[in-house]
Amino acid sequence: MVDRLEISMVPSGPRFSAHLRFLVNGEDVVAEAVGEGGRGLFAVGPAGAELGPLRGNGEALRVELGEPECSGVCCGFLSVVVQRFRGIVQWSDWQVPYAEFAPPEFHFDADQYDAELARVDTRAGRSGVS
């Protein structure tokens, strides 16, 4: 089975600036893994989000996705290894903040995955985050 990625924006709040939410199969993987009060690290600013590390290529790349409320320096960050294998983008080898549960390994159809990243890639003049 292939997993499905959807990206949306979490608006600014009292403690954090706007950031991206990563839904995999309808579940917010960052919120579930960083605990109540945590946040995603992909900030959304006037120039959009820098999604380059998530694109994946033939080499494994560790990407930080979130941190708990106490900050990642204290309890650790949520990170995942992103790697592309032909028509599949894989998220694996999760590292999670202290006392949190790791998400499972995900396998995305590369075409759907690329389309979702392109949809939110405002750096390239595309429509932006919905």
Side-chain angles (χ1 to χ4, degrees):
M1 182 174 119
V2 178
D3 298 293
R4 182 166 183 78
L5 177 67
E6 297 173 62
I7 304 171
S8 62
M9 186 181 75
V10 176
S12 296
R15 292 195 51 214
F16 301 122
S17 62
H19 58 276
L20 297 181
R21 175 178 308 191
F22 297 95
L23 301 173
V24 178
N25 304 324
E27 301 292 326
D28 187 332
V29 293
V30 174
E32 290 180 10
V34 298
E36 188 70 29
R39 71 178 185 114
L41 295 176
F42 277 86
V44 179
E50 174 57 60
L51 298 173
L54 286 172
R55 296 204 183 283
N57 58 37
E59 295 183 32
L61 177 64
R62 181 159 298 279
V63 179
E64 290 180 356
L65 294 179
E67 67 179 347
E69 183 176 23
C70 65
S71 90
V73 175
C74 172
C75 297
F77 292 93
L78 171 68
S79 68
V80 66
V81 172
V82 178
Q83 191 169 11
R84 186 177 293 258
F85 301 96
R86 296 186 186 168
I88 297 291
V89 176
Q90 176 181 289
W91 286 11
S92 64
D93 193 25
W94 292 91
Q95 290 182 349
V96 297
Y98 175 74
E100 298 295 338
F101 294 100
E105 189 170 285
F106 296 117
H107 299 90
F108 304 101
D109 173 83
D111 291 335
Q112 185 275 324
Y113 184 90
D114 291 343
E116 186 64 6
L117 292 181
R119 185 182 67 79
V120 298
D121 190 359
T122 58
R123 291 178 308 112
R126 293 186 176 97
S127 61
V129 180
S130 60

